[in-house]
Amino acid sequence: MFDDRSWLKQQAALSLKRLLPRITPVLAELDAADRERFIRRLDAHFPRLFRLLLALYGRQYDFFYHLEEILVAAARMYAARPADLKALDQQREADPLWYQSEKMVGGVCYVDRFAGSLPALAERLPYFEELGLTYLHLMPLFRSPEKENDGGYAISSYREVNPALGTTDDLRSLAGELRRRGISLVLDFVFNHTSDQHDWAQRALAGDAEYQAFYHMFDDRTLPDRYEQHLREIFPEQDPGSFTYRPEIGKWVWTTFRRFQWDLNYANPAVFNAMAQEMLFLANLGVEVLRLDAVAFIWKEMGTSCENLPQAHWIIQAFNALARIAAPAMVFKSEAIVHPDDVASYIHRDECPISYNPTLMNLLWEALATREVRLLQHSMRKRFSLPDDCAWVNYVRCHDDIGWSFADEDAAEIGINGFDHRRFLNAFYTGYFPGSFARGLPFNYNPRTQDMRISGMAASLAGLEQALENGDTLRQEHAVRRILLLHSIIVSAGGIPLIYLGDELGTLNDYSYRDNPARAKDSRWVHRPAFDMARAARRADAKTIEGRIFQTLRRLIHIRKETPALANGETTFFDTGNPHVLGYVRHEQVLVLANFSEFEQQVNRDMLMSIWRSPEMAVDLITGQEIGCDDAVVLEPYQYVWLQIGRWR
Ligand code: OTU
């Protein structure tokens, strides 16, 4: 009988044998040990790469030509990889799960909004260290169209830093400085699309057929109309539909996002090869975590939603294999803001070992609005656990909108109608719901589907903006506690907590974007304020709001870093018996309780005894106080406790 697997193995081995003579000359300048390491990694990962590329491109008559091109390019990128990064490669191979440590704490910011430029940002590293960050995501900083550029997510060159921010050498030296201080650099790989000013797009616009084949182009509306029957509109308010007409060439171009963001055509192996080199270029700059932007959209198939298709996974897995061969210090993080099942489908050691956790994020806000943790608890019980070698990035806010991407079936299981619930949440966070504390803005309301997302800084969504305006001190207190409550969860739940910089100081919405015509229509800019130095200057004074938030968060981070039980791994969500209180246990050692209501709540003894077993008392890692459990644990409004249950008396 014909055995598929062993046939594939043989083909892979044969192909590698034939390709080696083309690869070794590229490595000729390297010393023997270095060359040996590359060959060893190639041996380990080529069979997988071969299988994936064969599945993707095996029907092309020139498949072997492309395979050779890809491997030779990878070898060339390896030969160019700086020695310090190769040393890091070896270090990370010896400690492959480094990103699961309790020491990992992330921050994310825009270079221009945070500091103005790369050299200016390099001066601010002590600020990151003060907060305790060991992971820094700098949002897109490469060349991009001057006015409308989707906050840098429309990239015109993956190799040239935006001249307004500095040079590629500035970036390289910043990466080195971060590494010396124990901070991992995170950059985006915006690989679903390029800007229409990218060289490839410009050549396509000039009529070059080779580069037109880098994108999805159509002579008339016949196919676009057929595709669109099944496609989701991502930015319906700014650019409805998924295609853009370009009169220069008389063609319709596939543009899932904005009209100037052209989707790359990964069915073309030349695109895969070109982008693999851009990916390895980023790795060679010193990127340790690569954020794969918009992973869901990279493969299109007529009659489908063109999201989360199997080939999208194969492309990412093939990139993963190449990175493991030529830059193993770098790991992938997936950015998929989709149904939780689809989010999970990207998370695998051989695909993206790290992933944003949008389900936790949006359900944290859901629980704040409802003051109930039922849906949060229920979904997390089902969905929080990951393969042993993977990790969530848990976050409260990011530079994007909040989409209510929780699973309708999770909601239905506890008697909630997802559609209605989203309408409530949108009303709540735009402040229309009576009694709402939130000051969010609508983002991309779609009248056809009634879909809508929410923009806003954490502090404004949590009620601080409104409370400050009303001068209401009790409401201010509640707002501050809400901000801290959400952050206490991302810091203690496992994975990598990611702080959206500005939130550590309680920064409010910034409405000035409305005066900028290139931004006015995109409400996400309300939560992308310039870093406020005056606010930061108050961070040491715990009597100010900024100081209270900053110092508390800093302390939570410090405790996390000192508590191995808060590293990634086992997180067991349990029903606290009180619908307002979230509960989970970390590594059977730390029991977390979090009160999502502005009233005192109790969790009764019987409920806790099943987890807490015999002893009578526990120590709260945050306050150092002993908490008795004679009748119940009493929680103040929005209080959270991290009880060390390993240390019972
Ligand atoms: C990402 O987000 C980026 O984070 C955005 O800033 C970009 O605008 C966008 O890609 C295009 O590059 O639509 O509203 O379901 O998965 O990819 C945010 C879509 C977005 C998301 C996500 C996208």
Side-chain angles (χ1 to χ4, degrees):
M1 206 175 76
F2 177 73
D3 178 351
D4 227 26
R5 280 184 159 256
S6 64
W7 180 84
L8 265 175
K9 256 195 200 147
Q10 278 171 21
Q11 292 304 309
L14 263 172
S15 308
L16 186 55
K17 210 169 139 199
R18 277 182 38 200
L19 286 170
L20 272 178
R22 290 279 289 114
I23 293 167
T24 30
V26 181
L27 305 172
E29 309 255 293
L30 306 182
D31 67 51
D34 198 5
R35 208 164 37 232
E36 213 21 68
R37 277 191 288 274
F38 183 85
I39 301 294
R40 178 173 53 72
R41 289 171 188 142
L42 192 57
D43 277 335
H45 300 288
F46 181 78
R48 186 159 67 92
L49 179 66
F50 177 79
R51 179 170 48 77
L52 291 160
L53 292 178
L54 191 70
L56 285 162
Y57 305 118
R59 270 170 295 180
Q60 305 253 348
Y61 74 92
D62 52 357
F63 170 71
F64 281 96
Y65 162 78
H66 288 290
L67 183 66
E68 180 174 323
E69 289 288 293
I70 290 166
L71 277 191
V72 169
R76 225 180 283 122
M77 295 311 280
Y78 183 74
R81 187 159 170 82
D84 52 345
L85 293 175
K86 285 183 176 170
L88 189 66
D89 288 338
Q90 286 179 268
Q91 197 183 315
R92 290 284 154 79
E93 278 181 330
D95 177 22
L97 303 182
W98 59 278
Y99 47 80
Q100 298 195 334
S101 160
E102 68 278 11
K103 309 275 191 242
M104 292 296 294
V105 178
V108 50
C109 65
Y110 285 102
V111 176
D112 58 341
R113 310 298 272 168
F114 186 81
S117 69
L118 285 167
L121 188 123
E123 303 284 303
R124 302 261 185 91
L125 301 190
Y127 182 81
F128 302 132
E129 292 177 307
E130 187 183 333
L131 194 55
L133 305 187
T134 58
Y135 163 123
L136 183 65
H137 174 196
L138 300 178
M139 280 181 284
L141 37 73
F142 292 102
R143 196 154 65 73
S144 111
E146 224 172 84
K147 289 205 171 99
E148 279 198 281
N149 56 32
D150 192 21
Y153 282 86
I155 292 187
S156 307
S157 161
Y158 295 89
R159 301 195 183 208
E160 266 171 80
V161 164
N162 176 350
L165 302 178
T167 64
T168 309
D169 277 334
D170 290 337
L171 179 57
R172 222 174 257 121
S173 86
L174 177 67
E177 190 49 38
L178 287 169
R179 201 158 50 249
R180 273 186 289 283
R181 295 179 189 235
I183 301 176
S184 297
L185 175 64
V186 185
L187 290 186
D188 288 86
F189 186 38
V190 184
F191 71 126
N192 174 71
H193 45 266
T194 72
S195 91
D196 61 356
Q197 291 183 14
H198 192 287
D199 191 43
W200 303 334
Q202 288 296 311
R203 289 181 195 217
L205 281 176
D208 185 331
E210 189 185 336
Y211 286 95
Q212 290 185 352
F214 267 46
Y215 302 95
H216 300 271
M217 299 203 165
F218 306 91
D219 292 331
D220 57 45
R221 285 290 312 184
T222 317
L223 291 175
D225 284 343
R226 279 180 59 201
Y227 277 114
E228 272 184 357
Q229 284 170 24
H230 305 275
L231 300 179
R232 184 158 70 101
E233 291 176 285
I234 307 301
F235 295 141
E237 282 183 348
Q238 292 83 17
D239 287 307
S242 298
F243 300 87
T244 302
Y245 185 69
R246 295 301 297 237
E248 302 95 314
I249 44 176
K251 287 182 194 292
W252 291 87
V253 185
W254 199 309
T255 53
T256 298
F257 296 95
R258 301 297 311 277
R259 63 189 177 282
F260 47 84
Q261 288 167 309
W262 289 15
D263 289 47
L264 285 161
N265 175 15
Y266 280 92
N268 176 355
V271 168
F272 177 89
N273 185 10
M275 289 303 285
Q277 292 176 56
E278 304 310 77
M279 187 259 298
L280 293 174
F281 180 83
L282 295 175
N284 286 355
L285 284 177
V287 174
E288 296 184 31
V289 177
L290 191 67
R291 175 192 182 276
L292 270 56
D293 183 62
V295 291
F297 302 89
I298 58 174
W299 193 272
K300 333 287 191 199
E301 201 82 61
M302 181 62 80
T304 74
S305 67
C306 299
E307 287 186 51
N308 311 302
L309 295 177
Q311 291 87 343
H313 292 283
W314 302 345
I315 301 263
I316 300 167
Q317 288 165 17
F319 281 144
N320 175 303
L322 280 171
R324 300 273 276 283
I325 292 166
M330 186 172 78
V331 295
F332 289 179
K333 171 175 79 161
S334 137
E335 189 261 350
I337 315 303
V338 287
H339 185 284
D341 290 341
D342 296 318
V343 173
S345 70
Y346 295 92
I347 309 175
H348 188 279
R349 180 75 193 161
D350 292 335
E351 194 166 338
C352 296
I354 305 178
S355 165
Y356 279 98
N357 191 350
T359 318
L360 174 65
M361 184 277 289
N362 73 75
L363 290 177
L364 285 174
W365 290 104
E366 185 271 344
L368 271 194
T370 59
R371 279 80 161 176
E372 287 203 352
V373 301
R374 293 192 312 135
L375 184 53
L376 173 61
Q377 186 92 34
H378 180 68
S379 287
M380 290 306 113
R381 268 178 113 155
K382 285 174 69 175
R383 303 180 181 278
F384 196 81
S385 93
L386 289 181
D388 282 347
D389 42 15
C390 296
W392 288 117
V393 161
N394 294 315
Y395 63 114
V396 171
R397 283 300 288 119
C398 71
H399 69 292
D400 281 332
D401 47 287
I402 302 177
W404 308 108
S405 60
F406 61 81
D408 277 3
E409 50 288 17
D410 295 3
E413 280 155 14
I414 57 166
I416 292 173
N417 175 306
F419 182 82
D420 293 344
H421 203 48
R422 287 187 184 90
R423 284 183 58 193
F424 157 71
L425 291 166
N426 282 326
F428 188 91
Y429 280 106
T430 47
Y432 286 111
F433 191 81
S436 165
F437 49 71
R439 281 282 169 84
L441 294 180
F443 181 67
N444 274 292
Y445 169 62
N446 185 334
R448 196 171 50 83
T449 57
Q450 291 294 314
D451 185 50
M452 191 173 116
R453 289 112 83 188
I454 296 291
S455 293
M457 286 299 283
S460 293
L461 296 175
L464 191 58
E465 189 175 322
Q466 195 195 67
L468 286 171
E469 254 170 47
N470 300 346
D472 183 329
T473 49
L474 178 65
R475 280 166 193 253
Q476 274 176 39
E477 178 63 24
H478 285 162
V480 169
R481 289 189 184 197
R482 287 187 197 105
I483 297 166
L484 291 170
L485 174 75
L486 296 198
H487 283 89
S488 80
I489 289 165
I490 62 160
V491 173
S492 63
I496 306 172
L498 179 60
I499 295 158
Y500 183 55
L501 290 164
D503 285 348
E504 78 285 10
L505 297 166
T507 309
L508 301 175
N509 282 350
D510 170 10
Y511 298 95
S512 67
Y513 77 99
R514 288 173 170 160
D515 306 328
N516 179 340
R519 293 179 176 172
K521 278 194 191 157
D522 187 337
S523 69
R524 288 177 298 174
W525 286 99
V526 83
H527 57 247
R528 297 170 179 176
F531 188 73
D532 184 344
M533 287 308 279
R535 215 172 243 290
R538 293 192 286 272
R539 71 184 181 278
D541 180 358
K543 287 196 289 296
T544 63
I545 287 177
E546 294 83 353
R548 177 145 163 235
I549 297 174
F550 188 92
Q551 295 304 335
T552 311
L553 185 54
R554 187 170 168 229
R555 184 164 154 68
L556 295 178
I557 290 170
H558 178 78
I559 299 168
R560 170 188 156 106
K561 289 175 143 188
E562 297 298 305
T563 311
L566 296 180
N568 193 55
E570 211 182 285
T571 305
T572 314
F573 286 85
F574 66 94
D575 184 355
T576 62
N578 180 329
H580 309 292
V581 180
L582 182 71
Y584 50 90
V585 178
R586 302 298 330 281
H587 289 283
E588 298 184 358
Q589 289 175 47
V590 177
L591 186 155
V592 174
L593 295 173
N595 176 5
F596 275 76
S597 93
E598 58 263 78
F599 300 101
E600 187 180 283
Q601 298 294 333
Q602 302 196 354
V603 176
N604 90 23
R605 182 188 163 89
D606 294 343
M607 212 61 210
L608 289 175
M609 285 312 266
S610 52
I611 298 139
W612 188 312
R613 299 197 194 99
S614 53
E616 259 92 62
M617 216 173 278
V619 177
D620 178 10
L621 289 171
I622 298 165
T623 58
Q625 273 172 0
E626 293 190 341
I627 307 256
C629 175
D630 295 339
D631 307 310
V633 170
V634 181
L635 296 167
E636 286 178 24
Y638 296 117
Q639 192 187 355
Y640 44 88
V641 291
W642 296 355
L643 304 178
Q644 179 119 40
I645 52 178
R647 257 205 236 141
W648 294 134
R649 302 230 202 116

